């Protein structure tokens, strides 16, 4: 397990055995966001972030890194790059709810940028209910909202980009 120091924290590539812990952490962060804005989750909408992470890492060959604080994993960033197009896609970035508001999200993003200096255009998307995530991407990482897509009656997706 090779650790990389960056911004006063340690990073390492996500491994298959990390996925259950990261899936639980991601579910916890999503549920906290829903609760923050009084959005109820339906009984049939069981969160399965572990399955999503498995699919991204194994089937879609994403690049993913854990961030450590206090000698434990406290967050993750997952992304894809197309070197020939100089484009990147930020898939997911989350921090354990106990470690939020400490600047870890910005440090994770700076870490990604340090590993991908050839990428000049980044895209990402978030559900519109994720007001905190959208605010973070726009105010801290300087993404710009490009459009909102209506996936279903209740599901609105906010698309954003960052040109470097």
């Amino acid at each position: 397990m090779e650790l990389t120091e960056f911004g006063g924290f340690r990073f390492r590539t996500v491994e298959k055995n990390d996925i259950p812990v990261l899936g639980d952490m991601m579910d916890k962060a999503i549920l906290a966001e829903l609760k923050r804005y009084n959005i109820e989750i339906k009984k049939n909408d069981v969160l399965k972030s572990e399955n999503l992470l498995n699919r991204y890492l194994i089937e879609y060959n994403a690049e993913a890194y854990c961030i450590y604080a206090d000698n434990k994993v406290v967050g993750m960033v997952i992304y894809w790059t197309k070197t020939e197009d100089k484009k990147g896609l930020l898939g997911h970035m989350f921090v354990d709810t106990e470690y939020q508001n400490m600047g870890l999200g910005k440090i994770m993003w700076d870490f990604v940028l340090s590993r991908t200096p050839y990428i000049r255009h980044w895209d990402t998307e978030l559900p519109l209910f994720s007001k905190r995530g959208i605010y973070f991407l726009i105010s801290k990482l300087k993404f710009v909202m490009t459009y909102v897509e209506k996936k279903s009656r209740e599901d609105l997706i906010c698309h954003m980009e960052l040109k470097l």
Side-chain angles (χ1 to χ4, degrees):
M1 167 172 67
E2 182 183 329
L3 294 170
T4 302
E5 296 285 334
F6 185 88
F9 291 89
R10 292 172 304 156
F11 289 82
R12 76 167 169 75
T13 304
V14 172
E15 298 170 354
K16 188 162 177 53
N17 63 336
D18 296 319
I19 292 175
V21 170
L22 291 167
D24 288 345
M25 190 182 303
M26 188 172 173
D27 286 346
K28 184 177 158 187
I30 291 168
L31 289 171
E33 183 82 354
L34 292 169
K35 185 177 179 183
R36 183 176 293 114
Y37 297 108
N38 296 316
I39 299 171
E40 290 185 35
I41 189 166
K42 298 173 190 157
K43 286 183 182 179
N44 296 341
D45 292 342
V46 177
L47 296 176
K48 291 287 184 189
S49 296
E50 182 178 339
N51 295 341
L52 177 73
L53 295 176
N54 262 314
R55 193 168 68 237
Y56 282 173
L57 294 173
I58 295 165
E59 292 177 35
Y60 301 135
N61 200 27
E63 295 185 57
Y65 293 89
C66 305
I67 184 172
Y68 280 81
D70 300 329
N71 293 316
K72 66 180 183 177
V73 174
V74 297
M76 185 188 93
V77 60
I78 187 167
Y79 62 93
W80 295 265
T81 58
K82 285 180 120 181
T83 309
E84 62 279 4
D85 295 339
K86 297 183 179 182
K87 290 187 175 184
L89 174 65
L90 174 60
H92 291 281
M93 181 165 50
F94 59 89
V95 174
D96 189 327
T97 54
E98 295 174 28
Y99 288 84
Q100 291 179 357
N101 301 316
M102 297 177 169
L104 294 179
K106 177 72 167 95
I107 290 169
M108 283 195 298
W109 182 243
D110 289 344
F111 175 76
V112 169
L113 292 179
S114 76
R115 299 191 66 81
T116 59
Y118 50 89
I119 300 299
R120 307 311 304 153
H121 184 138
W122 286 91
D123 290 305
T124 194
E125 60 184 46
L126 278 175
L128 200 56
F129 74 76
S130 185
K131 294 177 178 92
R132 191 166 191 261
I134 292 168
Y135 174 81
F136 170 75
L137 288 167
I138 292 171
S139 69
K140 304 292 184 190
L141 305 188
K142 306 306 179 201
F143 274 77
V144 174
M145 188 181 306
T146 53
Y147 66 98
V148 174
E149 175 186 14
K150 187 173 184 175
K151 290 247 180 177
S152 69
R153 194 170 147 219
E154 298 173 350
D155 197 11
L156 297 172
I157 304 297
C158 177
H159 292 264
M160 290 172 274
E161 69 178 4
L162 173 66
K163 293 180 181 177
L164 301 173

